[in-house]
Amino acid sequence: VLSLCCEACKKVIFHVPSELEADTLVGRVDLKECLQSAEFISSSDGNFKVLEDGSVYTTSAVSLSAEKMTFTILLKDSKEHVQKKIHVSLVEKEKKKTRHARDTVLKRTKRRWGPIPSVMIENSLGPFPLQIQQVQSDTAQNYTIYYSASGPGIDQDPRGLFYIERETGNIFATRAVDREQYPSFQIICFATTPDGYSPEVPLVHTIRIEDDNDNAPYFTQDLFEFSVLENSKPGVLVGKVTAEDRDEPYTLHTTLKYRIVSQNPPVPPAFSLHGDTGVISVSSPQLDRELVSSYTLLVEVRDMAGQPFGLCTTGTVVIRIEDTNDNAPSFKQIQYETRVEENRVNVEILRVSVVDLDEPGSPGSGAVYEIIRGNDDQSFEITTDKNTNEGILCVVKGLDYESAKQRILVIAVNNEAPYMLAPYSQQLSQSTSSVTVHILDVDEGPVFKPCHLRLDVKECEEIGTSIGRYLAEDPETGNSEGICYRIPPGQCNWISIDEKSGEVRTIKVLDRDVAEMRRGQCNITVLAIDRNGKTGTGTIQVVIQPGNKNYPRILKTDYIMCRDRKPICLTAQDSDESPYSTPFVYRITDRSLASMWKITRHNDNSVYLSPKGDIPFGTYSIPVSVIDNGGKVGEHNIEVNFCDCTTPTECIRGPETPVGNVTLGVWAILAMILGSLLLLLILITICGCCGSGVMHRHVTDDCANHNLIISNTEAPGEEVMDHNIIPLQNTSDQGGYGIKTGDQQTFEMVKGRGHTLESVKGGGHQTLGSVKEGGGQPMMDTCRYSYSEWHNFTHPRLGEKVHLCRQDEEQKHSEDYLLSYNYEGKGSLAGSVGCCSDQHEEEALDFLDQLEPKFRTLAETCVKR
C-alpha cells in the first residue's frame, strides 16, 4: 500500500493587479525548500500553472472578484512517498504612485544582470568555496532583491557543484571540475522581491571550464604492424602511427610530436619517423630479410609540441621485412648417378634437391627444374615436388640398351619468381648439375621399324590390292625371322596383313564418300609376336587418296533470254576433291551452234553463254561439254528460250518451235481473244439494227434511216475496272460504220486515221461481199451474214492488227495503258443513246417519251428489232 504523507509546507502571498491576462507571470515559489525531488507539480486551480523552477503563470485571463484569491500547489515524490502542499494567496495590490515609480525603474536598461561568461580553471586547488562570478540586478538599488539559480551543477547533476548567495548574487564553486567530463555549465539565475515578484527576466549564465593539461596523449593501437620489401630504397613509405589527446583541441595541450626511442636490433638505424605526421619510412638501403626478418621500434608521442614538460606516451611498432627473390637456388650435389631398365616408361629414376636462402614456400624459393642438355629425343622429364621442392627425374620414353648403354643429362634450376637484385650486387649465376643414367639390358619383344607407318591408297582400288609391307625386328638378333603378324579385332576393317610376310592388302573397296570412310584415314594397330611369345606393337595409318570418279555437272540447264541478250551464267559442280575438280573447261560441241553462240570465262567453275550476233527468236538446244582438271567430261544440253520480252516472266515456255519462230506472249493472246469477242459483239449489234427484213445489195437512200452512225459520247464514260481487258483507242474520228458505195456494201474497222482492216502486205481493198461471193461481184442479198463468213473475214486481219498494236513505228513493244477520253462537258440526263447500250437496257426506256419530236425517229430506230 502506497501511503503518502501530505502536509502544508508554507504559505505564499503574491500582490497582483486585479486583472491578469493569460500567460502572465504571477510570481515564483521556491519549491526546493518544501521538497527537493518533486516529480509531480500541479495546481488546484486550472487558471494557474506551475513550472519546475516554481514560476506561476496564468493559463487564461483572471479577474479577482474579491480582494483575495487562494489556490494550492501540490508536490509529490513517489520514491520517497512524500507529498507537500504550498498555499498561494493572490492579493490585489494597492494603486500607489510609488508602485508606478517602481515599474518605471524596472524598465531601465540592465547593465549588471547579464555578465560575461564565467571561467573556472579545471582541477582548481581552491580554496573552496571559490567565488567565480557575481550577478546583480539594477532594481537592487531601490528594493530588496533575492537571488537564486538552478540548472546543471546546482539542482541537477552534478548537484551541489555551484551555489549563489541569496542577498549578494555571488556564484561559488564547491569543488574541482574535470573539463573532459563537464566542458561547461549553463545555469538560470533569478532575481525576485521578498513578496515573490520577479522584476527581471531569468538570466541564462554560462560557466566555462578552462582546460588544464591533465591528460597525456595515447596511441590508437597497442601494437602497430607494418611490412616492407627487402632491398627497398630510402624514402619508401612503411606505415603511419596515430595518437590522440583528450585535452582541449587546437591548443598546445593537444599539439603532438612523434619520435623513435629505440630500434631492435639496434644497428644500423633502418627507419625514420616524421615528428608531426607519424609517418614511418625507410632510411637504410640495406634491408636484407635473410639477415634481419623483422624490426621492433619503440616510439614516443608528447604533447605541448614536444616540449620537455609535456606529457608523453610510448608505443610499439613491428616492421616485418618481406622476401624478394634476391638469392638463386643451388644444387646440393654437382653430380648424380642412377640406373633404369630399357623400355621402362613413366618411371621415377632420381630425386635432386637444392638450397635457397629466400623465404620457404614463397615464389622466390620455389624451384623450377629443366634439362638443358642430353635429352634431344625427349626421353626424360623432370618436375618439381611442391611439398619438398625436390626435382623428380622420370623416363617418359623407353630407352634402348642396344642403341646406348648410358645417357648423360645436364639439369639446371631457377625460381618461379624473377630475380630482384639488391643494390650494388652482382648478377646471379644459374646452378647446374649432371646426371649419368645407366641403361640395363633386358630381353625385349620385336620392334616395328618404323613404329608408325603411313600407307596411301587410291580411292576405289580393287579388293586384294597390295599396298605395302610392315615388318618388325628382334632387337637381340636384328632380323625378322620367326616373327608372326596379326591385327587385333575391334578396329576398322579396311586391310589385312599376311601372318608370315607382313604384306598389307585391302579387303574392301575404299570409297571416301562412304560414311565409315568419311574422314579418309584410319589408324590400325598391328602386333608382332616372336618365338618366345613376346610381342611388339606398331601402327599403320591408311590414308585414302581422292580419285577422279565423278564428272562435272551443270546445275541448271533451262534458261530464258530476253531481247537485251543478257549473258547466261553456267555453273558446274564436281564432287571430287582437288586436283580432280576445278578449274573446268567448257566447250560447245555443235559446230553450227558454236558459230552462233560463244562462251566467256567467269571463274574456275563458271562461264557466260551469250549469242555472237543477231539471231532469231526461238528455243535453242545447245550441247555443252564440261571437262574437269582430271580430264573427265560431262555432257549437257542447255535449253535457251530466246524470247521477245523485257523480263523472263513475260515469256511463257511452250512446245519447242523451229529456230527463228516468234512466240506470242500472254497479253498478245488475250488481246486476240478479246478483240474477237468485241468484233463479234459489234457485228451482232449492227445486224440487230438492220431489222429482221431482207436487205439487198442495192440500198435506197432511206436505208440510212435504218442505220445508226455512232457518235461521240456526250458525257464521261464509265470507268473500266477490269484490268484484263485490253482497251482499244477511240479518237474523235469515226469508229466502225457502214458505207454505201454504189452497188457494194463495205464494212470497215477504222483505226486512228482511217486505215481499213485489210492485210498490211496485200494491196487490194477486199470487202466482205467479195469474200462471200468469191469474185468480188455485187449481189442482192440480205444485210445479215453468217458467223462463219464474218469469222473468215475478220480473224486473220484482227490477228495482224493486234500484232501491229503491240509495236510502234520503230518496231518496239508498245506500252499497254488506258487512254482517257476528252471531257466535252456535262452530258444530258438521258445518257448515251447508242443502240448497243439500249439493247441491254430494254426495261429502262421511259426517258424516250420525253424527247423532242426530232429525236423520235432516232429512238424508234434504236428500239426496232
Side-chain angles (χ1 to χ4, degrees):
V1 178
L2 179 63
S3 62
L4 300 174
C5 58
C6 182
E7 58 177 315
C9 177
K10 63 178 180 178
K11 296 181 179 181
V12 178
I13 299 174
F14 292 122
H15 295 274
V16 296
S18 60
E19 299 292 338
L20 296 175
E21 296 180 356
D23 296 328
T24 302
L25 177 64
V26 177
R28 183 178 181 276
V29 181
D30 191 357
L31 304 178
K32 301 298 182 181
E33 292 182 0
C34 293
L35 190 62
Q36 288 288 335
S37 58
E39 296 180 355
F40 179 75
I41 303 173
S42 64
S43 173
S44 62
D45 191 342
N47 293 323
F48 300 93
K49 62 180 180 180
V50 183
L51 303 182
E52 293 182 358
D53 60 356
S55 300
V56 181
Y57 288 88
T58 59
T59 58
S60 61
V62 177
S63 177
L64 299 180
S65 59
E67 294 182 355
K68 188 176 181 181
M69 176 182 289
T70 61
F71 63 91
T72 303
I73 299 176
L74 180 62
L75 306 177
K76 291 183 181 180
D77 187 354
S78 59
K79 294 182 179 179
E80 301 293 337
H81 307 293
V82 178
Q83 181 172 317
K84 296 292 182 75
K85 287 183 179 181
I86 299 175
H87 297 282
V88 180
S89 299
L90 302 181
V91 180
E92 184 179 0
K93 62 183 177 180
E94 298 178 358
K95 296 181 180 180
K96 296 181 179 180
K97 187 176 181 178
T98 55
R99 176 62 65 185
H100 291 293
R102 179 184 178 186
D103 292 340
T104 304
V105 172
L106 293 178
K107 292 180 181 179
R108 293 189 306 170
T109 303
K110 313 300 185 299
R111 297 186 300 273
R112 298 292 304 279
W113 184 236
I116 63 175
S118 304
V119 177
M120 178 181 177
I121 303 298
E122 180 187 15
N123 300 323
S124 176
L125 299 178
F128 298 102
L130 177 65
Q131 182 180 353
I132 58 176
Q133 188 58 275
Q134 182 184 21
V135 294
Q136 281 188 343
S137 174
D138 290 345
T139 60
Q141 297 177 2
N142 300 320
Y143 301 97
T144 301
I145 298 297
Y146 293 133
Y147 301 96
S148 62
S150 66
I154 297 177
D155 54 359
Q156 300 177 15
D157 291 335
R159 298 174 183 271
L161 182 59
F162 304 102
Y163 71 91
I164 186 171
E165 286 185 345
R166 181 179 182 185
E167 292 79 8
T168 63
N170 292 328
I171 301 175
F172 292 90
T174 61
R175 59 182 182 272
V177 182
D178 185 3
R179 189 205 66 83
E180 286 71 39
Q181 187 176 5
Y182 302 105
S184 64
F185 298 89
Q186 284 188 343
I187 62 175
I188 302 175
C189 299
F190 303 94
T192 59
T193 60
D195 58 0
Y197 183 72
S198 298
E200 299 280 4
V201 177
L203 172 67
V204 178
H205 182 65
T206 302
I207 301 174
R208 187 176 63 85
I209 308 302
E210 185 175 344
D211 183 50
D212 181 33
N213 190 22
D214 59 339
N215 292 282
Y218 60 93
F219 286 101
T220 57
Q221 296 178 217
D222 296 335
L223 178 66
F224 292 91
E225 293 182 329
F226 306 109
S227 61
V228 65
L229 293 175
E230 64 176 333
N231 302 319
S232 294
K233 296 180 180 180
V236 175
L237 178 66
V238 177
K240 180 181 180 180
V241 294
T242 56
E244 296 179 354
D245 197 320
R246 296 181 58 196
D247 289 327
E248 187 174 1
Y250 309 109
T251 63
L252 281 175
H253 299 165
T254 54
T255 303
L256 307 180
K257 286 287 185 179
Y258 303 90
R259 73 182 183 92
I260 297 177
V261 178
S262 63
Q263 171 185 303
N264 185 29
V267 290
F271 304 97
S272 61
L273 176 61
H274 195 280
D276 296 329
T277 62
V279 174
I280 302 175
S281 57
V282 176
S283 61
S284 173
Q286 299 178 354
L287 295 179
D288 190 351
R289 190 205 65 85
E290 288 72 36
L291 297 179
V292 180
S293 60
S294 67
Y295 291 85
T296 302
L297 304 180
L298 181 65
V299 296
E300 177 192 83
V301 58
R302 187 181 295 270
D303 60 13
M304 301 300 292
Q307 299 183 36
F309 53 82
L311 303 179
C312 65
T313 303
T314 58
T316 303
V317 179
V318 175
I319 302 175
R320 186 172 61 87
I321 308 301
E322 293 185 351
D323 182 53
T324 59
N325 191 19
D326 58 343
N327 295 281
S330 60
F331 285 100
K332 292 183 178 180
Q333 294 180 222
I334 300 177
Q335 291 183 345
Y336 293 90
E337 287 191 13
T338 185
R339 290 178 173 79
V340 63
E341 294 179 351
E342 64 174 336
N343 301 322
R344 294 289 300 275
V345 179
N346 296 327
V347 58
E348 177 184 332
I349 61 174
L350 180 66
R351 281 181 174 252
V352 295
S353 57
V354 295
V355 176
D356 198 322
L357 299 178
D358 292 321
E359 184 176 2
S362 67
S365 64
V368 178
Y369 300 90
E370 62 175 337
I371 304 173
I372 61 175
R373 192 163 56 247
N375 191 31
D376 298 336
D377 58 352
Q378 303 297 317
S379 298
F380 300 91
E381 183 181 77
I382 187 168
T383 57
T384 303
D385 188 336
K386 297 298 182 181
N387 297 324
T388 63
N389 209 31
E390 293 178 326
I392 304 174
L393 182 63
C394 299
V395 178
V396 294
K397 289 184 180 180
L399 302 177
D400 188 7
Y401 173 81
E402 288 73 22
S403 299
K405 295 180 174 55
Q406 70 177 15
R407 299 281 293 273
I408 299 177
L409 308 177
V410 177
I411 302 174
V413 62
N414 292 299
N415 286 132
E416 296 177 5
Y419 293 117
M420 297 182 61
L421 301 179
Y424 311 109
S425 62
Q426 298 180 354
Q427 184 70 29
L428 299 177
S429 59
Q430 187 180 39
S431 178
T432 60
S433 178
S434 65
V435 178
T436 302
V437 181
H438 299 282
I439 303 172
L440 304 179
D441 185 24
V442 295
D443 187 12
E444 52 191 346
V447 177
F448 281 97
K449 293 185 178 180
C451 61
H452 186 278
L453 177 64
R454 170 174 173 150
L455 296 178
D456 293 334
V457 185
K458 290 185 178 181
E459 190 176 12
C460 300
E461 286 282 1
E462 296 181 357
I463 298 176
T465 302
S466 176
I467 59 175
R469 297 183 65 186
Y470 195 31
L471 300 178
E473 295 181 355
D474 191 338
E476 308 299 332
T477 60
N479 55 52
S480 303
E481 295 181 359
I483 298 177
C484 298
Y485 304 95
R486 184 164 54 91
I487 296 177
Q491 306 182 71
C492 58
N493 190 20
W494 290 6
I495 62 173
S496 65
I497 187 169
D498 188 83
E499 183 178 355
K500 300 297 182 180
S501 63
E503 186 176 7
V504 180
R505 295 179 179 272
T506 60
I507 59 176
K508 62 169 54 177
V509 177
L510 304 184
D511 189 350
R512 293 173 59 90
D513 296 333
V514 179
E516 64 176 354
M517 302 179 184
R518 185 75 62 183
R519 293 180 301 173
Q521 65 178 23
C522 178
N523 293 333
I524 302 172
T525 302
V526 181
L527 299 180
I529 306 171
D530 63 8
R531 295 186 181 94
N532 297 327
K534 294 186 176 294
T535 61
T537 59
T539 302
I540 298 178
Q541 183 183 28
V542 180
V543 179
I544 304 175
Q545 297 296 331
N548 192 15
K549 64 176 182 178
N550 298 296
Y551 62 86
R553 300 174 183 270
I554 296 179
L555 302 179
K556 181 180 178 182
T557 58
D558 292 336
Y559 297 93
I560 296 176
M561 177 182 288
C562 291
R563 68 164 65 97
D564 57 1
R565 301 183 182 183
K566 183 179 180 180
I568 298 171
C569 184
L570 303 179
T571 302
Q573 185 177 0
D574 196 331
S575 301
D576 295 327
E577 296 182 2
S578 179
Y580 301 109
S581 57
T582 57
F584 298 137
V585 177
Y586 291 78
R587 292 177 183 174
I588 300 176
T589 57
D590 188 274
R591 291 187 178 181
S592 60
L593 291 175
S595 62
M596 302 172 61
W597 297 84
K598 64 179 179 180
I599 291 178
T600 306
R601 176 181 172 81
H602 177 217
N603 53 32
D604 286 348
N605 60 345
S606 299
V607 294
Y608 288 117
L609 177 64
S610 60
K612 290 184 177 181
D614 294 336
I615 60 175
F617 295 114
T619 302
Y620 296 86
S621 180
I622 306 172
V624 177
S625 65
V626 185
I627 307 173
D628 61 16
N629 197 36
K632 205 150 192 174
V633 181
E635 299 289 345
H636 305 83
N637 283 329
I638 307 301
E639 301 292 333
V640 180
N641 183 5
F642 185 28
C643 181
D644 183 14
C645 59
T646 56
T647 59
T649 56
E650 298 178 3
C651 187
I652 299 178
R653 179 73 181 274
E656 293 187 3
T657 58
V659 176
N661 289 354
V662 180
T663 59
L664 295 179
V666 176
W667 290 107
I669 297 174
L670 186 59
M672 294 176 62
I673 296 174
L674 294 178
S676 301
L677 295 177
L678 182 60
L679 182 59
L680 180 61
L681 181 60
I682 294 174
L683 296 178
I684 294 174
T685 302
I686 294 175
C687 293
C689 294
C690 291
S692 59
V694 178
M695 184 183 68
H696 299 280
R697 295 286 183 178
H698 299 281
V699 185
T700 60
D701 294 337
D702 59 354
C703 186
N705 295 331
H706 303 283
N707 293 277
L708 188 61
I709 299 176
I710 299 175
S711 64
N712 290 333
T713 303
E714 299 297 334
E718 296 180 355
E719 183 178 359
V720 179
M721 300 303 296
D722 190 358
H723 299 287
N724 293 324
I725 299 177
I726 300 177
L728 295 178
Q729 184 175 1
N730 190 5
T731 65
S732 60
D733 296 335
Q734 294 178 349
Y737 58 91
I739 303 176
K740 179 182 177 183
T741 55
D743 296 335
Q744 182 173 306
Q745 182 74 22
T746 303
F747 293 91
E748 298 177 351
M749 290 298 295
V750 178
K751 175 187 176 184
R753 299 179 180 177
H755 299 283
T756 60
L757 185 60
E758 58 187 7
S759 175
V760 178
K761 298 181 180 180
H765 186 85
Q766 190 175 10
T767 64
L768 179 62
S770 62
V771 173
K772 182 177 181 181
E773 298 297 335
Q777 299 298 328
M779 289 183 62
M780 295 298 292
D781 201 351
T782 64
C783 61
R784 295 184 178 271
Y785 299 93
S786 65
Y787 171 76
S788 58
E789 294 173 341
W790 280 104
H791 182 269
N792 294 333
F793 178 77
T794 59
H795 184 72
R797 291 159 182 78
L798 182 61
E800 295 177 0
K801 290 299 182 179
V802 171
H803 175 69
L804 294 177
C805 287
R806 297 176 62 249
Q807 299 182 2
D808 55 13
E809 295 179 357
E810 297 179 359
Q811 300 299 318
K812 294 183 178 180
H813 185 76
S814 298
E815 297 181 357
D816 294 330
Y817 55 90
L818 294 174
L819 298 177
S820 301
Y821 290 98
N822 291 330
Y823 183 69
E824 297 182 359
K826 183 176 181 182
S828 64
L829 295 176
S832 176
V833 296
C835 61
C836 296
S837 60
D838 289 340
Q839 290 179 1
H840 296 284
E841 299 177 357
E842 295 176 357
E843 303 298 328
L845 302 178
D846 296 339
F847 68 94
L848 297 177
D849 298 334
Q850 301 175 4
L851 299 177
E852 294 179 3
K854 62 181 179 180
F855 290 104
R856 293 185 181 276
T857 304
L858 177 62
E860 292 174 356
T861 303
C862 292
V863 298
K864 186 177 181 180
R865 299 186 179 275

